[in-house]
Amino acid sequence: GQSLAQLVAEKASPVADVTYLGVTFGIQARKEGVVTAYKPAAWNDIPNGLKDPEGHWFTIHSGTLGFMVNVDALKGKPIPRSWADLLKPEYKGEIQVANPASSGTAYTILAGLVQIMGEDKAFDYMKKLHRNIGQYTRSGTGPIKAVARGETSVSISFVHDGPGEKMQGFPVETVTPSEGTGAEIGSMSLIKGARNLDQAKKFYEWALTASAQEMGAASKQFQLPSNKSQPPYRLWTPFLLAANGPSPRASASCMVFLQ
């Protein structure tokens, strides 16, 4: 939100050339008229639904929502496999999730549930889920750290944060709920009126190459890269989304994966 506000404030005389925006802000940036259309050479390798049809923004990576579970902390309880499972009484006080008032992660959870269930059913679900929530955290990463260290059993969080904790030796597993789930995107755009447009376009092109897209995994950041023709996408798609992958459905609030 802060980046978009700055772009709007600098609209008459832009300072930056390229912008990286999360969740829905690429869509909003187009509406504000602060970004310009450009389709890089790898445009057709970005899945439909993960880019603006006219080229005002494209996804550089996405992150799927799910659960992270501390197997030891569950003490023999089954691993939840669905949104419905989280409502079971055996998980009372065992779940942590971020507060939607302060966390983009939690906002994406709520937006995804609304799209999967419908607004009324989603809010009814959240009321029922509240009975099993042990703590609402300020940030989306708080529940992940709590699960890894055994302070709670289950977090609702981005599944790409799980491998990093597991690599540190924590007894965690990740689950993508069977009913479908929401996801966030990180998008890129060229700023309208950019002073260094040619260089910005070169950066744009480079960002979709294998050498750029594999940097995330190299730094232990396991979001799903967007260029489906490159090795990083082919490597992480089976891990994050299963062999064939659910189908993405884009909207103004988030992306939804339907399994």
Side-chain angles (χ1 to χ4, degrees):
Q2 292 178 334
S3 296
L4 178 58
Q6 184 171 348
L7 291 177
V8 173
E10 297 170 351
K11 186 174 181 179
S13 183
V15 175
D17 302 307
V18 177
T19 183
Y20 171 89
L21 299 168
V23 195
T24 64
F25 294 110
I27 297 169
Q28 293 180 38
R30 178 184 177 179
K31 292 179 179 178
E32 293 285 352
V34 294
V35 295
T36 191
Y38 176 72
K39 295 182 179 181
W43 182 257
N44 290 333
D45 293 320
I46 305 170
N48 291 329
L50 302 186
K51 56 190 176 184
D52 173 56
E54 295 180 11
H56 289 85
W57 59 267
F58 70 87
T59 298
I60 193 68
H61 65 72
S62 61
T64 308
L65 284 168
F67 317 142
M68 192 166 83
V69 178
N70 186 306
V71 180
D72 291 350
L74 279 176
K75 298 179 180 178
K77 297 173 185 175
I79 294 175
R81 300 290 179 185
S82 65
W83 294 108
D85 282 348
L86 295 186
L87 302 183
K88 294 179 178 179
E90 56 258 44
Y91 301 115
K92 184 175 178 62
E94 296 290 333
I95 303 170
Q96 283 195 19
V97 66
N99 187 336
S102 60
S103 166
T105 300
Y107 171 81
T108 306
I109 293 168
L110 182 57
L113 288 173
V114 167
Q115 292 180 67
I116 293 167
M117 301 177 181
E119 185 172 341
D120 291 342
K121 289 183 178 180
F123 277 92
D124 183 59
Y125 174 85
M126 292 298 290
K127 290 176 183 177
K128 294 175 180 177
L129 179 65
H130 175 71
R131 303 167 190 163
N132 285 352
I133 300 297
Q135 183 180 352
Y136 292 95
T137 62
R138 182 173 179 82
S139 73
T141 57
I144 297 163
K145 300 300 182 184
V147 167
R149 286 149 184 79
E151 297 168 8
T152 193
S153 302
V154 181
S155 72
I156 306 175
S157 46
F158 288 111
V159 296
H160 60 248
D161 289 319
E165 300 298 335
K166 192 163 186 174
M167 290 172 70
Q168 296 181 60
F170 294 110
V172 298
E173 300 293 341
T174 56
V175 177
T176 304
S178 60
E179 303 97 330
T181 190
E184 56 89 22
I185 63 172
S187 68
M188 287 181 62
S189 298
L190 294 181
I191 296 173
K192 190 173 183 178
R195 300 176 184 179
N196 305 292
L197 186 59
D198 290 340
Q199 292 91 329
K201 288 180 178 179
K202 290 179 181 178
F203 179 80
Y204 228 49
E205 300 286 352
W206 171 81
L208 288 169
T209 63
S211 60
Q213 298 246 305
E214 67 189 7
M215 285 183 174
S219 60
K220 298 182 175 60
Q221 300 296 316
F222 300 107
Q223 291 94 335
L224 180 67
S226 60
N227 188 340
K228 63 185 180 182
S229 73
Q230 298 295 347
Y233 182 94
R234 298 198 298 271
L235 172 65
W236 288 110
T237 295
F239 173 74
L240 290 174
L241 303 179
N244 295 316
S247 59
R249 183 177 74 199
S251 78
S253 55
C254 72
M255 195 169 49
V256 173
F257 288 112
L258 301 176
Q259 302 210 56

